[in-house]
């Protein structure tokens, strides 16, 4: 219907504006902006625009499945309401197709173009300018596309030996891109399998750092006094201009250390001024909420494993009929649908936390006003891979019964029982292992604090550091 186009455009424009402010918050203030380099500034604006578009698509992919579940419940509750006639199955199906199309476009073309465009300088001997960079980027991107398509053709020919499958390889739109995106989606789902269990256990640590713990678990007065004493000691060393003979520290390093200690002291002072309600009620409720959401997620996955063994209908599949508002996708009705939405957002947040907390991707963590453009491109690609695999991830684990719409349900590996079964078992096992390990370490740490063992002096090594005596 014609009304779908302005609705989709309005939704995407809202996401684009939001992502624009997010990227401006993290991007680094480049030097060429100060010297008024028009060419570099134009390249920077184009690349940031492509990154903003990709990040908006990633956010749309995150909201896609929750929006569909909520829309189905709204249509089920108010089937003849005049004000929600714009909300129908055709609109939802169109949003799924647009997210799938833009995800392919961003991963295959836009993000590689943005990276090569920022690194290009034009061919040797050609006239410098933006068009020279565009020509060089286009040639490099064309060669990369041919290489990737050739690899996809070889992989498809190996997996399908019949003549029909090889004949279909000549159809670019119907075979190449869906197969390529199927591989990317499989990689994203596997990445979610590794990051989400680790993130679920890390959420407790992150929440503990953001909230104020009860005085039984944390002595803020002692930490604050130690920090103030350390700040005063470093400040006196800077003022006197004398450093220890065993530590060859310069003044710049001491000033950097002083700034870090002052920042830590200010954070401790803010936490020290927290009210008793925040300290004694907020922290336990937050921990209980995280534990409840994590436990419910694991129980749902375990129940889904039993369903896979007993009923073929539990397998994830695509849905071509977009008639929404006919039946609820949860046995608990609207409450179950709301719980599904909360769990989907919680798993996505946990996967992002686990992704940036893992040793392999810690360097990608953006910093406020100090993130270079190449790191922004890497973050946008990573978030798009994770978010575009979220609908498949949620349906594969049985978090929701909402079947995949559009091309999301055409992935070949979704119909493989062994892949889906092993995936569910792996998620339940990894999540349980990470939680048990995290809880064991937390209990051990709190017991050491309760008995005062952390205050015991550590053994001093006999060997002395290299350097002269005073």
């Amino acid at each position: 219907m014609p009304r779908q186009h302005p609705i989709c455009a309005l939704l995407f424009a809202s996401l684009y504006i939001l992502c624009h402010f997010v990227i401006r918050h993290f991007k680094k203030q480049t030097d060429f902006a100060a010297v008024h380099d028009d060419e570099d500034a134009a390249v920077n604006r184009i690349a940031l625009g492509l990154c903003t578009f990709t990040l908006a698509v990633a956010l749309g992919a995150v909201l896609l499945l929750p929006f569909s579940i909520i829309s189905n419940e709204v249509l089920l509750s108010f089937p003849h309401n005049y004000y929600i006639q714009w909300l129908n199955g055709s609109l939802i199906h169109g949003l799924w197709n647009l997210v799938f199309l833009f995800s392919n476009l961003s991963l295959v073309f836009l993000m590689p173009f943005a990276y090569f465009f920022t690194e290009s300088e034009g061919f040797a001997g050609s006239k410098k300018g933006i068009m020279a960079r565009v020509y060089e980027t286009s040639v490099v991107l064309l060669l990369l596309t041919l290489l990737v398509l050739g690899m996809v053709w070889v992989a498809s020919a190996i997996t399908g030996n019949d003549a029909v499958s090889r004949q279909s390889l000549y159809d670019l739109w119907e075979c190449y891109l869906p197969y390529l995106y199927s591989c990317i989606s499989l990689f994203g789902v596997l990445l979610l399998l590794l990051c989400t269990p680790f993130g679920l256990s890390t959420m407790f640590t992150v929440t503990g750092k953001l909230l104020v713990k009860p005085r039984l678990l944390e002595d803020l007065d002692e930490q604050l006094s130690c920090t103030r004493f350390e700040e005063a000691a470093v400040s006196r060393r800077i003022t006197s201009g004398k450093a220890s003979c065993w530590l060859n520290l310069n003044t710049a390093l001491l000033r950097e250390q002083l700034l870090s200690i002052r920042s830590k002291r200010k954070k401790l002072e803010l936490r020290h001024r927290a009210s008793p309600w925040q300290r004694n009620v907020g922290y336990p409720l937050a921990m209980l909420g995280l534990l409840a959401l994590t436990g419910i997620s694991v129980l749902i996955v375990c129940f889904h494993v039993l369903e896979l063994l007993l009923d073929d209908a539990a397998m994830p599949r695509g849905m071509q009929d977009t008639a929404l508002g006919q039946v609820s996708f949860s046995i608990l009705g609207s409450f179950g649908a709301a719980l599904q939405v909360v769990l989907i957002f919680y798993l996505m947040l946990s996967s992002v936390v686990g992704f940036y907390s893992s040793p392999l991707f810690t360097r990608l963590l953006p910093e406020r006003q100090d993130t270079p453009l190449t790191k922004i491109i890497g973050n946008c690609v990573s978030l798009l891979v994770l978010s575009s695999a979220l609908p498949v991830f949620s349906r594969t684990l049985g978090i929701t019964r909402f079947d995949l719409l559009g091309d999301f349900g055409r992935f070949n590996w979704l119909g493989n029982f062994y892949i889906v079964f092993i995936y569910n078992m792996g998620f339940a096992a990894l999540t349980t292992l990470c939680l048990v390990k995290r809880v064991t370490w937390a209990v051990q740490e709190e017991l050491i604090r309760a008995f005062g063992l952390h205050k015991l002096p550590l053994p001093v090594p006999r060997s002395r550091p290299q350097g002269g005596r005073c």
Side-chain angles (χ1 to χ4, degrees):
M1 296 177 65
R3 73 177 68 179
Q4 296 178 6
H5 302 290
I7 293 175
C8 295
L10 182 61
L11 292 176
F12 185 78
S14 303
L15 296 178
Y16 188 89
I17 294 174
L18 177 62
C19 295
H20 173 72
F21 287 107
V22 171
I23 291 182
R24 282 178 60 90
H25 178 75
F26 287 103
K27 74 170 185 177
K28 185 177 182 179
Q29 300 297 329
T30 50
D31 296 332
F32 57 78
V35 298
H36 304 287
D37 193 332
D38 295 334
E39 180 180 342
D40 289 340
V43 171
N44 184 39
R45 287 194 298 268
I46 294 174
L48 286 179
L50 296 179
C51 292
T52 306
F53 179 87
T54 303
L55 190 60
V57 174
L59 184 57
V62 172
L63 299 175
L64 186 60
L65 189 55
F67 181 76
S68 302
I69 296 174
I70 294 175
S71 300
N72 180 74
E73 295 300 323
V74 170
L75 292 174
L76 189 62
S77 302
F78 308 99
H80 304 293
N81 196 314
Y82 173 78
Y83 296 101
I84 59 173
Q85 290 184 358
W86 57 273
L87 191 62
N88 50 39
S90 180
L91 173 64
I92 301 301
H93 193 277
L95 290 176
W96 281 71
N97 289 333
L98 285 177
V99 170
F100 183 84
L101 175 63
F102 290 157
S103 299
N104 278 281
L105 185 65
S106 300
L107 287 175
V108 179
F109 295 105
L110 296 185
M111 285 294 94
F113 181 86
Y115 176 76
F116 291 129
F117 191 52
T118 55
E119 298 295 329
S120 63
E121 297 180 356
F123 291 110
S126 61
K127 185 179 179 180
K128 300 298 180 181
I130 295 181
M131 292 307 300
R133 292 190 174 190
V134 171
Y135 293 150
E136 181 184 355
T137 305
S138 301
V139 172
V140 175
L141 189 60
L142 178 60
L143 295 176
L144 179 63
T145 303
L146 293 177
L147 177 62
V148 173
L149 292 180
M151 295 173 62
V152 172
W153 190 91
V154 172
S156 301
I158 293 175
T159 56
N161 295 323
D162 55 329
V164 177
S165 62
R166 293 180 180 178
Q167 188 68 25
S168 64
L169 292 176
Y170 296 98
D171 195 342
L172 176 64
W173 186 259
E174 293 295 331
C175 183
Y176 268 121
L177 292 182
Y179 186 85
L180 178 60
Y181 191 77
S182 178
C183 297
I184 297 176
S185 177
L186 179 60
F187 173 75
V189 170
L190 293 177
L191 189 60
L192 284 174
L193 176 62
L194 298 177
C195 294
T196 306
F198 181 66
L200 289 174
S201 61
T202 311
M203 286 289 290
F204 293 90
T205 305
V206 174
T207 306
K209 293 180 179 179
L210 296 177
L211 300 179
V212 181
K213 297 181 181 180
R215 295 187 182 275
L216 179 64
L217 302 178
E218 185 181 33
D219 191 355
L220 283 179
D221 294 331
E222 181 181 358
Q223 294 184 20
L224 190 57
S225 61
C226 292
T227 305
R228 288 172 176 171
F229 178 78
E230 187 178 1
E231 179 184 2
V234 176
S235 180
R236 283 195 300 268
R237 291 177 62 184
I238 295 177
T239 304
S240 61
K242 297 179 181 180
S244 174
C245 60
W246 300 105
L247 299 175
N248 297 323
L249 299 177
N250 52 21
T251 306
L253 186 59
L254 286 175
R255 293 184 182 277
E256 184 179 353
Q257 184 180 1
L258 180 62
L259 292 177
S260 177
I261 296 174
R262 284 180 178 175
S263 177
K264 181 181 178 181
R265 176 182 57 81
K266 292 179 181 178
K267 292 180 181 179
L268 288 175
E269 289 177 350
L270 290 177
R271 297 177 65 186
H272 188 266
R273 290 195 295 264
S275 64
W277 286 95
Q278 295 178 354
R279 182 182 299 109
N280 300 322
V281 179
Y283 180 82
L285 287 180
M287 289 300 169
L288 288 177
L290 293 178
L291 186 61
L293 290 176
T294 306
I296 292 173
S297 302
V298 176
L299 289 177
I300 289 177
V301 174
C302 294
F303 183 73
H304 187 247
V305 170
L306 297 178
E307 284 186 321
L308 289 173
L309 296 175
L310 301 176
D311 189 4
D312 293 338
M315 289 288 295
R317 63 182 186 274
M319 181 175 61
Q320 300 300 327
D321 186 11
T322 58
L324 299 180
Q326 303 297 327
V327 63
S328 179
F329 291 96
S330 175
I331 59 177
L332 300 179
S334 299
F335 175 77
L339 181 60
Q340 290 177 5
V341 172
V342 173
L343 289 177
I344 290 172
F345 283 127
Y346 177 62
L347 291 178
M348 184 61 198
L349 179 61
S350 301
S351 65
V352 173
V353 172
F355 177 81
Y356 286 113
S357 300
S358 61
L360 295 177
F361 305 105
T362 305
R363 296 181 180 180
L364 280 179
L365 185 64
E367 300 177 2
R368 181 178 178 271
Q369 299 294 326
D370 195 28
T371 307
L373 188 56
T374 54
K375 185 180 288 188
I376 291 178
I377 295 174
N379 279 274
C380 291
V381 172
S382 303
L383 293 177
L384 182 58
V385 171
L386 292 175
S387 60
S388 60
L390 181 64
V392 183
F393 173 77
S394 303
R395 183 62 185 91
T396 304
L397 294 179
I399 302 298
T400 179
R401 295 300 182 90
F402 193 93
D403 290 321
L404 303 172
L405 296 177
D407 292 327
F408 281 93
R410 294 176 55 188
F411 300 147
N412 297 328
W413 56 271
L414 285 176
N416 192 315
F417 170 79
Y418 297 102
I419 294 179
V420 176
F421 180 77
I422 294 175
Y423 189 86
N424 281 262
M425 291 293 295
F427 178 83
L430 288 176
T431 304
T432 305
L433 180 62
C434 290
L435 284 178
V436 170
K437 192 174 182 180
R438 179 70 63 177
V439 170
T440 303
W441 285 357
V443 171
Q444 181 181 358
E445 182 180 355
E446 296 303 332
L447 287 177
I448 292 176
R449 285 180 175 273
F451 288 103
L453 299 179
H454 65 290
K455 299 180 180 180
L456 294 178
L458 296 177
V460 180
R462 295 181 178 273
S463 59
R464 294 178 177 177
Q466 297 295 331
R469 294 179 177 271
C470 293

